Amino acid sequence: MRIIVGITGGIAAYKAPELVRLLKKAGHEVRCAATEHALEFVTRVTLETVSGNALYTDLFASGRTEHISLKDWGEMLVVAPATANIIGKVANGIADDALSTLLLAFSGKPVIMAPAMNCEMWAHPAVQRNIATLKSWGIRMVGPEEGELACGVSGVGRMAEPEQIAGAICQGERLKVNPEGELNTLENKDNQVKKGERWLVTAGPTYERIDSVRFIGNYSSGKMGFALAQALADAGAEVELVSGPTFLSINHPRIHRTSIESAREMYAAATEVFPRCNGAILSAAVADYRPSECADHKLKKNGSEGMHLDLVQNPDILATLGSMKTDKQTLVGFALETDNEEANAQRKLEKKNLDYIVLNSLRDKGAGFGVDTNKVTIIGRNGSRKESPLLTKQEIAKLIVEEVAL
Ligand code: CTP
């Protein structure tokens, strides 16, 4: 694909050459267009060297019509970083430099923006209004992410990582963008589950009580499971979401949520509902062990002596559903591995009688617990294998649903 990378004047501009490099590596042709302020953060020489093409910065050079010839050349325009200024200009039809003029001329073709700015600026109603306007025109936003910002504070405003932006671009080639400017693989009737299908999803951590005020838990946020429930509901399924403790909320007429705390409660809820389901995706991070006894009062310190907890194994929900499963049901498990990833995942798939296993490798940056992104390999029992780039958990959920449920 012929991609134009637009760069505006934010500190994250230093990551733009890396994005260009990743796109070139993926086989795309790239040309860059930068604002004058962008060149305070990244040099012309760098951008021309990594892209292998002349940089477009000046509306009045090259016969004054380069914004038209460049528009005709490009098949996709990606602005990374996109400052509040360029977002505001495009939303209001202002074309006063090379990049903003190109953006207005580029209508009718896919545009992706990776906003980056201070968190107060991002939260400002003017910026949010402009973002909503751009999304309503089909411009797709990647990020911003939450994290430490260049100004020293933490909040939402950090540009998505180049790998994530590149991943979104590759997906954009294949996936459609809905009117809200968000990825939508499921909008078409062929991408709906059969009428009346019911799916079980487990999500989040489990808490295993030690006494009346303490528990053993884990860092699972529930984000992946909630995104799966949403993607299944968007595809027309009735969803039984069995979730461990999480602050997340979800509101969809076809999602029925059961909140549980411990692995044994999740086991009871999941095994009860599974016989009525067409399939199940178990993404919960279930504690493998629980204290053998739970005190009904707060345990007291016992002087300077250490404390020993006696643990017993919890039931394996996934393996139990694997043994209950009929030929008509689809069962999907997750595997979070740190080494021998593929071999371990394959072993789990067979041992627990699964149809698919979704492998997360903790070696991948941006994948795993707590973060908003993920990178997975979906392995099927029939030998199928689908690897995703780094994407948001919502996008990963859509890919999984497409692979296992449609
Ligand atoms: N799972 C489950 N019930 C459990 C434990 C895990 O349903 N008691 C499910 C998870 O929801 C996930 C998959 O099993 O889909 C993870 O498999 P598992 O073998 O438990 O992974 P690990 O706990 O990482 O196993 P190991 O310690 O063997 O690596």
Side-chain angles (χ1 to χ4, degrees), residues 41 55 60 208 227 246 384:
F41 298 96
L55 178 70
F60 298 104
E208 309 300 326
T246 160
S384 64

Short mmCIF file of all heavy atoms in Angstrom, two decimals, residues 41 55 60 208 227 246 384:
data_model
loop_
_atom_site.label_atom_id
_atom_site.label_comp_id
_atom_site.label_asym_id
_atom_site.label_seq_id
_atom_site.Cartn_x
_atom_site.Cartn_y
_atom_site.Cartn_z
N PHE A 41 11.24 18.68 16.28
CA PHE A 41 11.40 17.45 17.08
C PHE A 41 12.07 16.32 16.32
O PHE A 41 12.61 15.40 16.91
CB PHE A 41 10.03 16.95 17.56
CG PHE A 41 9.33 17.92 18.46
CD1 PHE A 41 8.37 18.80 17.96
CD2 PHE A 41 9.62 17.96 19.82
CE1 PHE A 41 7.73 19.69 18.79
CE2 PHE A 41 8.98 18.85 20.65
CZ PHE A 41 8.03 19.73 20.14
N LEU A 55 10.67 14.78 1.61
CA LEU A 55 9.67 15.17 2.61
C LEU A 55 8.82 16.31 2.06
O LEU A 55 9.34 17.23 1.43
CB LEU A 55 10.40 15.63 3.88
CG LEU A 55 9.54 16.12 5.04
CD1 LEU A 55 8.78 14.96 5.67
CD2 LEU A 55 10.43 16.79 6.10
N PHE A 60 4.16 26.00 -0.87
CA PHE A 60 4.48 26.87 -1.99
C PHE A 60 5.69 26.43 -2.79
O PHE A 60 6.15 27.12 -3.67
CB PHE A 60 4.63 28.32 -1.50
CG PHE A 60 3.35 28.80 -0.91
CD1 PHE A 60 3.19 28.91 0.47
CD2 PHE A 60 2.26 29.08 -1.72
CE1 PHE A 60 1.99 29.30 1.01
CE2 PHE A 60 1.05 29.48 -1.17
CZ PHE A 60 0.91 29.59 0.20
N GLU A 208 -9.29 -15.54 46.35
CA GLU A 208 -9.40 -16.71 47.22
C GLU A 208 -9.18 -16.26 48.65
O GLU A 208 -8.09 -15.82 49.02
CB GLU A 208 -8.34 -17.75 46.80
CG GLU A 208 -8.35 -18.08 45.30
CD GLU A 208 -9.68 -18.65 44.80
OE1 GLU A 208 -10.33 -19.39 45.56
OE2 GLU A 208 -10.05 -18.36 43.64
N ALA A 227 -14.12 -7.24 26.60
CA ALA A 227 -14.08 -6.92 25.16
C ALA A 227 -14.63 -8.09 24.35
O ALA A 227 -15.33 -7.91 23.35
CB ALA A 227 -12.65 -6.60 24.74
N THR A 246 -13.91 -6.87 39.39
CA THR A 246 -13.31 -5.87 38.51
C THR A 246 -14.15 -4.60 38.61
O THR A 246 -15.33 -4.65 38.94
CB THR A 246 -13.27 -6.34 37.04
OG1 THR A 246 -13.12 -5.20 36.20
CG2 THR A 246 -14.50 -7.10 36.61
N SER A 384 -5.03 -24.86 12.39
CA SER A 384 -5.03 -23.46 11.95
C SER A 384 -4.22 -22.61 12.92
O SER A 384 -4.09 -22.93 14.11
CB SER A 384 -6.47 -22.93 11.85
OG SER A 384 -7.05 -22.92 13.13
#
